Amino acid sequence: MPCFASALPTRGARAAAALAALSLAALAPSRALAQGAATPLPADTAPIRVIDPAFMDTTVNACSDFFRYANGAWLAHDTIPAAYSSSGVTRDMSDHNEVVVRSVLDDAVAQRGTHPIGSTPWKLGTFYASCMDSSAAEAAGIAPIRPWLREIDRVTARARLVPEIAALQVNGVNVAFRFGPDVDPHDAAHYVASFGQGGLGLPDRDYYTKPGASADSTRQAYVAHVARMFTLAGESGARAARDAEDVMTLETSLAQASMTRVEMRDPAATDHPMTAAQLDSLVPAVSWPRYYRSVGLTVPVPRANVGMPAFMRRVNSLLVAAPLTQWRAYLRYHVLAMAASWLSPAFVNEDFAFSSRFSGAKQLLPRWKRCLRETDGDLGEALGQAYVAKTFPPEAKARAKAVIEDIRTAFRARIQRLSWMSDTTKAQALDKLARMRQKVGYPDTWRDYSRLVVADGPFVLNVAHANAFEWQRTINRPGQAVDTTEWGITVPTVNAYYDPSKNEMVFPAGALVPQTFDPNADDGANYGSLGGSWAGHEQTHGFDDEGRHYDAAGNLRDWWTAADSAHFTGQADLIVQQFDGYIQVDTFHVNGKLTEGENIADFGGVLTGYDALERALARDGRPGLIDGFTPEQRFFIAYAQSWRVHNRPERLRFRVTVDPHAPENWRVNGPLSDDPDFATAFHCRPGDPMVRPQDSIPHIW
Ligand SMILES: [Zn+2]
């Protein structure tokens, strides 16, 4: 449950890795971090501040549109760079972080010869250098992946189909269904084998099923794109067109059996523990012991969680009855889709042109940025150590931890004060809060990359090796104890998350810099941004419409009395209605149900962050006005500026389908117009747009 809208989904690799999360297979020995003095940042990064008064438009009435009041001057002058789908906080912070990461990677390339071949520093330099070698990618064309396509051509008997699917999944190709270990919902101390829906080329099942001219046009564009990819791979125009229709047919069938994102928000809906015999009777077309062997499983799998049984039934019928020509076209396309961004420019450009339909970006990111992001995704903990040494001194970590701990204290007091919640439920909620783990900055134990294969040569093969490494690192986890030291996000990332099955919040160093947080900034600024929109937000995820179904240990268990549960649902429905009423873009409304958890987290974050600020002011003393504002006003300005984002309309249209986060202007104006402390701070009155009527304000946390 990250707090920022994610970028376009990466095809194949990362998406598969997300489900096939992580393993003990190669448990790394703990390595002490070289905690040198922080080196100054390169000079070409503009300083970012937690609050920048120059971004504000104080001619806007704060009680009418606070998002614009806090960010209006910036919005009026901002132009989204051609290679981006949005600009603002995340881009500014990422740009800043990427300059640091680039210096780490440039050093790794320059010093490659000084490290033993096969050592992790050598791998880091070799991986990035092989990505940057664009002329080699151009010269190689499709050659690096031709052996894979030939393997698929050999699927001429149905018996070869599942082994081929398994081989592709191991290399990070998103085909048929998702499989991997996950935390067991009923025994959160151990992993369980898990199945999920997957295998689509468009970003969501709704793109296949939605009626209407706009959806029709996206589907036609997709089929044309798939056909062009086949043509680039050497097929004749007629065959490419036929194959593209086959891909669409097979994927549409998978999509029709897939759950919607709203349906999947209910953890009980994706909780279907099965024995091996039950799995056999659900999907008899697959010999599961043979499949498990093909994907590298060496431990027994007596039971599994099948997230979407109806979807797996559909996979079964397609395995039995869909023509093999259709399957071969489908598998070939997914190999091309996984590889396209690292093949010759014709593939890269075709892949970009289609994805820009969803992002609105007008040109490719520079190659170094694309390579840097891929390297961070695949070898993130190898470069994270150097990143931390350059940017995240121990003092910053200590101060950030103190703010996050203050947020926990403030939330504890809020829970104790709740008049609607019974003592029985409160005791459980307080226990869950007390046991919520916080990870701040960087992992205590860094990942061991000794089994990762990296070689000079085509970069696309290094990506496949990295996918296979991730798969093998985690695949034998079923039945093993959950690794609580592991991080699901890399250190330079500008994001954070709460994981209900581990009951933990994770804040990487990359997010703990301005604009989120500055150890030298005033409390109003830090508690509004890091406190409210980050820590308070993630913490509340433990108690949102999804998170509340998990207990302190991470088990899926109902710890609520019936009356408390009913109260929560009734109040949460008010938030759903509130956001259903907001316009996302054009005539599309925000999907209140899809964004429910994030909106609850935002509201809880604002309330808790504010409480924590008041406690800090009482403890440390009140400063005078800063830039003409009280600490309380600065709290709300910092909160609003932490959502300073400017989106292209294509991205907003894409987000309305896939993103559980509402647009940033509503993430500010929504919760603040429900908050009486906001109205007091800015002297807003009943009837002002930023003051919603009392009876529509939710009372949850
Ligand atoms: Zn969130």
Side-chain angles (χ1 to χ4, degrees):
M1 302 184 183
C3 68
F4 271 109
S6 48
L8 280 169
T10 41
R11 290 192 167 127
R14 212 83 60 249
L19 178 94
L22 323 166
S23 126
L24 289 173
L27 191 61
S30 179
R31 266 190 286 165
L33 176 72
Q35 247 334 337
T39 12
L41 288 173
D44 59 348
T45 51
I48 309 175
R49 301 161 67 183
V50 180
I51 291 178
D52 196 332
F55 292 161
M56 299 174 67
D57 181 354
T58 50
T59 67
V60 172
N61 182 349
C63 302
S64 296
D65 182 347
F66 194 71
F67 179 80
R68 200 159 276 277
Y69 172 83
N71 298 304
W74 174 79
L75 276 168
H77 294 107
D78 182 62
T79 308
I80 302 172
Y84 289 82
S85 59
S86 67
S87 57
V89 175
T90 24
R91 189 180 76 80
D92 290 350
M93 288 174 67
S94 299
D95 276 355
H96 181 274
N97 292 351
E98 284 169 356
V99 169
V100 182
V101 174
R102 186 184 193 177
S103 72
V104 170
L105 291 173
D106 286 345
D107 286 353
V109 172
Q111 291 159 17
R112 196 159 69 109
T114 66
H115 298 294
I117 291 175
S119 65
T120 297
W122 180 90
K123 286 177 183 174
L124 192 60
T126 305
F127 192 87
Y128 183 66
S130 96
C131 185
M132 289 300 291
D133 192 351
S134 56
S135 41
E138 174 149 21
I142 200 175
I145 60 163
R146 188 155 283 137
W148 294 19
L149 300 177
R150 282 205 200 101
E151 277 302 312
I152 293 169
D153 288 341
R154 290 194 195 105
V155 181
T156 51
R158 220 158 267 273
R160 298 187 69 113
L161 182 53
V162 173
E164 182 58 28
I165 287 171
L168 292 173
Q169 287 173 338
V170 171
N171 285 291
V173 185
N174 167 28
V175 284
F177 57 88
R178 303 217 180 266
F179 174 73
D182 217 338
V183 175
D184 188 338
H186 301 285
D187 173 14
H190 295 92
Y191 294 105
V192 66
S194 301
F195 291 89
Q197 63 192 41
L200 302 180
L202 283 167
D204 189 81
R205 47 95 60 205
D206 284 359
Y207 285 102
Y208 298 84
T209 58
K210 244 188 331 202
S214 154
D216 282 343
S217 122
T218 301
R219 286 188 284 268
Q220 282 158 15
Y222 179 56
V223 173
H225 160 70
V226 174
R228 280 194 296 275
M229 295 278 275
F230 282 136
T231 313
L232 291 174
E235 293 189 9
S236 72
R239 181 172 168 211
R242 211 167 48 235
D243 283 352
E245 291 296 342
D246 276 346
V247 171
M248 192 58 173
T249 304
L250 200 134
E251 288 185 2
T252 303
S253 183
L254 290 174
Q256 285 164 341
S258 297
M259 290 172 73
T260 67
R261 285 175 197 255
V262 168
E263 286 166 348
M264 289 188 290
R265 291 194 64 73
D266 175 9
T270 55
D271 174 36
H272 305 284
M274 288 189 191
T275 62
Q278 287 169 317
L279 179 63
D280 280 341
S281 71
L282 181 75
V283 192
V286 178
S287 156
W288 290 109
R290 196 167 155 218
Y291 171 83
Y292 293 147
R293 275 197 305 279
S294 324
V295 297
L297 259 165
T298 55
V299 298
V301 185
R303 57 199 188 84
N305 183 40
V306 180
M308 300 87 188
F311 177 83
M312 291 306 289
R313 256 194 302 276
R314 177 63 53 88
V315 168
N316 187 74
S317 62
L318 290 168
L319 289 173
V320 172
L324 285 178
T325 48
Q326 211 174 75
W327 271 109
R328 287 195 299 266
Y330 167 80
L331 298 178
R332 272 203 311 280
Y333 172 67
H334 280 265
V335 167
L336 293 171
M338 187 279 264
S341 31
W342 307 117
L343 297 176
S344 51
F347 282 99
V348 176
N349 294 336
E350 176 57 36
D351 182 63
F352 170 75
F354 186 67
S355 71
S356 67
R357 198 177 172 88
F358 306 99
S359 69
K362 310 292 178 218
Q363 68 185 44
L364 272 169
L365 275 175
R367 191 169 187 94
W368 73 266
K369 285 217 176 204
R370 286 181 279 139
C371 288
L372 177 151
R373 291 176 183 193
E374 187 65 31
T375 308
D376 182 45
D378 293 330
L379 273 148
E381 291 197 15
L383 63 83
Q385 298 172 63
Y387 172 86
V388 164
K390 279 179 193 265
T391 62
F392 196 59
E395 311 85 78
K397 177 169 173 163
R399 180 86 181 95
K401 281 185 89 129
V403 171
I404 297 166
E405 213 38 69
D406 281 355
I407 295 293
R408 191 199 306 257
T409 306
F411 199 47
R412 185 184 310 128
R414 282 197 88 81
I415 294 175
Q416 283 162 340
R417 284 204 302 273
L418 291 178
S419 55
W420 61 268
M421 187 179 261
S422 68
D423 287 346
T424 334
T425 310
K426 268 185 195 175
Q428 301 267 342
L430 290 167
D431 180 45
K432 177 166 182 174
L433 179 66
R435 286 163 65 187
M436 190 181 286
R437 202 180 302 120
Q438 48 153 290
K439 292 176 172 169
V440 178
Y442 46 86
D444 295 329
T445 307
W446 297 94
R447 190 157 300 170
D448 176 5
Y449 290 100
S450 58
R451 294 168 71 174
L452 168 66
V453 176
V454 177
D456 287 313
F459 181 64
V460 68
L461 297 186
N462 280 330
V463 172
H465 290 149
N467 293 341
F469 165 77
E470 182 59 20
W471 185 281
Q472 284 147 8
R473 194 177 74 81
T474 57
I475 196 63
N476 277 302
R477 287 181 163 186
Q480 296 205 32
V482 164
D483 179 3
T484 53
T485 69
E486 191 165 62
W487 283 52
I489 198 169
T490 71
V491 175
T493 306
V494 182
N495 215 334
Y497 67 91
Y498 171 78
D499 181 344
S501 61
K502 292 183 176 170
N503 192 23
E504 68 178 16
M505 313 185 267
V506 183
F507 305 93
L512 296 173
V513 291
Q515 174 166 335
T516 306
F517 167 68
D518 179 349
N520 300 313
D522 57 296
D523 282 347
N526 279 331
Y527 283 85
S529 182
L530 174 60
S533 76
W534 289 80
H537 172 99
E538 297 306 338
Q539 182 177 262
T540 309
H541 271 315
F543 306 89
D544 71 13
D545 62 314
E546 265 185 301
R548 76 180 191 89
H549 295 290
Y550 295 82
D551 69 12
N555 290 310
L556 192 53
R557 179 174 70 81
D558 188 5
W559 46 271
W560 294 64
T561 66
D564 291 335
S565 207
H567 174 93
F568 179 96
T569 309
Q571 296 298 305
D573 282 347
L574 292 175
I575 292 195
V576 174
Q577 287 162 26
Q578 177 183 359
F579 280 79
D580 273 341
Y582 295 144
I583 294 286
Q584 170 120 356
V585 60
D586 313 326
T587 55
F588 293 106
H589 280 243
V590 175
N591 182 338
K593 202 69 195 151
L594 178 63
T595 57
E596 180 179 0
E598 296 298 334
N599 298 331
I600 292 173
D602 282 340
F603 191 32
V606 169
L607 298 176
T608 315
Y610 186 90
D611 288 356
L613 169 68
E614 290 302 306
R615 298 172 79 98
L617 294 176
R619 181 186 62 209
D620 308 334
R622 283 184 77 85
L625 299 185
I626 301 175
D627 300 329
F629 296 104
T630 65
E632 287 81 4
Q633 289 172 328
R634 285 180 66 80
F635 171 89
F636 291 111
I637 294 166
Y639 177 80
Q641 289 201 343
S642 80
W643 297 118
R644 176 178 57 87
V645 177
H646 179 194
N647 293 288
R648 291 188 190 276
E650 293 88 343
R651 177 175 158 86
L652 285 171
R653 285 180 210 121
F654 166 70
R655 284 177 55 185
V656 83
T657 306
V658 304
D659 193 349
H661 306 85
E664 289 73 15
N665 56 319
W666 297 125
R667 298 188 69 176
V668 173
N669 289 357
L672 297 195
S673 59
D674 286 335
D675 182 359
D677 290 323
F678 168 78
T680 305
F682 284 91
H683 315 294
C684 303
R685 288 188 303 271
D688 287 339
M690 289 295 302
V691 182
R692 296 179 71 241
Q694 273 301 319
D695 58 358
S696 55
I697 291 178
H699 293 277
I700 307 182
W701 302 114

